[in-house]
Amino acid sequence: TLRVVAFRPEDAVAIAKALLGNAEKLINRLNTRVMQDSVDIALKEVESSQKLAVEKQQDLSKFRSKWEIVAPLKISNSVHERIGKLSLEAAQTRAQIAEFRKLSPQSTQIGVLQVRVAAIEDQIRNEQLQLAGQDGSLAPRIAEYERYLLFREFAERSFLSAMTSLEIARGDAQRQRLYLEQISTPLPADHYTYPY
């Protein structure tokens, strides 16, 4: 409730209107400040998480450039597939050797097939060494790559979370606005009560 006491009724009305106008300006400034503060904090979090996401993506790109590998997991899967195919081929060749031994133990094909099995097994060992076991094997690279992927994923999720928080902060700031509700307009007094 706002009451203004002045020497003249017109002065009281002018002062009351000026006070109401200034009160509304003050409330608007407070609203703007509260909104700006909450949004600024959320914006800083967005910028920070965006910077981190970019850094993690750059780390992943540096890894790919360093090792000249775009997707070591795909390479690993293809090596596993080759090992599987070679193992199947070795098993089939061993079955042929067993069949020749039963049907024709003196066949010259047995020696040829044994050399083939040995070559396949050598190739399987080489493929396994490519995956793990050598300094240049894929296993440590895959572990490092997965770590980079994990860090990038965390950074991306953090960025998305910060963006969501920014939208929530903007919405909350809009909902938490203060308003000056004027129930009646200032009117001059009908009769004098002051000065005595």
Side-chain angles (χ1 to χ4, degrees), residues 95-109:
Q96 285 178 338
I97 291 170
E99 189 177 315
F100 274 116
R101 283 189 177 151
K102 284 183 183 177
L103 299 176
S104 162
Q106 301 301 323
S107 174
T108 58
Q109 289 292 324

Side-chain angles (χ1 to χ4, degrees), residues 18-193:
L19 288 171
L20 286 172
N22 286 336
E24 191 163 343
K25 287 178 186 174
L26 175 64
I27 287 174
N28 288 340
R29 269 197 333 263
L30 290 173
N31 282 336
T32 302
R33 186 173 176 187
V34 166
M35 181 176 169
Q36 195 61 43
D37 286 349
S38 62
V39 170
D40 282 350
I41 291 169
L43 271 173
K44 285 179 184 173
E45 185 62 33
V46 166
E47 289 169 3
S48 172
S49 62
Q50 182 181 22
K51 183 180 175 184
L52 181 65
V54 168
E55 286 175 7
K56 295 307 173 189
Q57 180 59 43
Q58 288 172 344
D59 289 347
L60 186 60
S61 295
K62 286 177 187 174
F63 168 84
R64 288 175 171 157
S65 295
K66 175 184 173 184
W67 294 108
E68 298 176 351
I69 297 174
V70 175
L73 296 175
K74 288 185 180 179
I75 293 172
S76 170
N77 288 339
S78 68
V79 171
H80 280 293
E81 284 179 25
R82 284 195 303 266
I83 290 172
K85 287 178 183 177
L86 288 170
S87 297
L88 178 63
E89 190 177 337
Q92 289 172 341
T93 306
R94 281 191 202 99
Q96 285 178 338
I97 291 170
E99 189 177 315
F100 274 116
R101 283 189 177 151
K102 284 183 183 177
L103 299 176
S104 162
Q106 301 301 323
S107 174
T108 58
Q109 289 292 324
I110 294 174
V112 172
L113 292 174
Q114 286 174 334
V115 169
R116 182 180 169 113
V117 168
I120 292 172
E121 287 173 348
D122 282 345
Q123 183 62 34
I124 289 172
R125 276 192 292 283
N126 289 338
E127 296 289 338
Q128 289 171 337
L129 286 175
Q130 184 180 353
L131 282 177
Q134 296 177 345
D135 291 337
S137 68
L138 280 174
R141 292 181 195 171
I142 290 172
E144 185 179 359
Y145 177 76
E146 287 178 337
R147 189 175 44 124
Y148 284 127
L149 282 179
L150 185 64
F151 287 155
R152 185 186 69 177
E153 185 178 331
F154 284 151
E156 287 173 350
R157 287 183 182 181
S158 174
F159 176 68
L160 291 175
S161 175
M163 289 296 291
T164 302
S165 296
L166 175 62
E167 292 305 315
I168 290 171
R170 285 181 176 154
D172 286 349
Q174 289 294 334
R175 282 190 296 279
Q176 294 176 1
R177 294 182 71 99
L178 299 174
Y179 295 96
L180 178 65
E181 189 64 40
Q182 190 174 333
I183 296 174
S184 64
T185 57
L187 298 171
D190 290 336
H191 59 279
Y192 298 101
T193 55

